[in-house]
Amino acid sequence: YIPMLGAFLNIFWPVPLILLGVRHGLKWSVMALVTAGLLLAIIVSPLQSLVQVMGLGLVGLTLGYCLNKEKGPGFSIICGSIASFISKAAVLILGFWIMGTNPLDFGPEAVTKTVNDTIEIYRSFGMSEQEIEQNRAMITGILEMMKLILSAGVIMASVLDTFINYLAAKAILKRLGTYIPDLP
């Protein structure tokens, strides 16, 4: 856990679980995940530990299992991406539960409130009503588009972090003498 580099290094958090899964099986990966979660809970916080374990542990376990059972690289990445998506959804649900509100709420009330708040800021800057109305339409369109962008972003992030972990684990395993097949 490094505060400034934490977000970047979190991408590679599943790699040790993948390595253990490939070389020693799922049992060792699960034990390492539980141990890492407990240590993180003691050192940082139980909530951060829960988010790390839920958000990244399943990816490491899934990729480690698939590669240990010599599933193809495509199948392994698909399974890892699904696991990553499920993990991200679980972390979002945990966030909703803890905060008591949905931070991704783009319902009509939330969109209307956001647009009205923005329009009031524009009025305080002295914009004309014609410019404000043009901006109102643009802001509403942007907020509607955010629904699609966030959904697609979560799916793309699931595939991307799985792919990055696959490549990192493959490179390390190659140096350790374990062959993992290349992507077609």
Side-chain angles (χ1 to χ4, degrees):
Y1 178 76
I2 302 171
M4 298 305 287
L5 295 175
F8 175 72
L9 293 176
N10 279 344
I11 293 171
F12 299 105
W13 206 76
V15 171
L17 301 175
I18 297 168
L19 299 176
L20 282 169
V22 170
R23 294 184 59 121
H24 302 288
L26 185 61
K27 177 181 160 185
W28 284 93
S29 290
V30 171
M31 287 193 304
L33 178 63
V34 170
T35 303
L38 290 173
L39 286 173
L40 195 58
I42 292 168
I43 294 170
V44 181
S45 77
L47 181 60
Q48 177 70 24
S49 173
L50 187 59
V51 168
Q52 290 290 101
V53 168
M54 283 176 54
L56 300 166
L58 188 58
V59 176
L61 295 176
T62 303
L63 277 177
Y65 177 81
C66 287
L67 295 174
N68 179 280
K69 297 300 181 189
E70 298 180 3
K71 306 292 184 190
F75 181 80
S76 298
I77 289 178
I78 289 170
C79 288
S81 297
I82 292 168
S84 179
F85 181 78
I86 291 168
S87 295
K88 286 173 182 26
V91 168
L92 283 174
I93 290 169
L94 177 67
F96 300 157
W97 180 70
I98 290 172
M99 291 188 294
T101 62
N102 183 352
L104 301 177
D105 183 18
F106 288 104
E109 311 85 33
V111 170
T112 303
K113 182 179 179 341
T114 302
V115 170
N116 290 338
D117 290 347
T118 305
I119 295 303
E120 288 306 314
I121 292 171
Y122 287 162
R123 278 197 180 103
S124 71
F125 289 153
M127 276 186 147
S128 70
E129 286 301 316
Q130 181 183 3
E131 291 174 320
I132 288 174
E133 287 308 313
Q134 289 173 344
N135 285 324
R136 179 187 304 269
M138 183 179 66
I139 293 166
T140 304
I142 289 171
L143 290 173
E144 289 299 319
M145 193 180 304
M146 287 295 289
K147 293 178 190 178
L148 296 172
I149 291 171
L150 286 173
S151 302
V154 170
I155 293 168
M156 289 172 44
S158 298
V159 174
L160 184 63
D161 70 12
T162 301
F163 181 70
I164 289 170
N165 279 292
Y166 176 84
L167 292 178
K170 182 180 182 312
I172 293 169
L173 287 167
K174 181 179 179 183
R175 292 197 46 106
L176 294 174
T178 303
Y179 174 75
I180 300 295
D182 289 327
L183 287 166

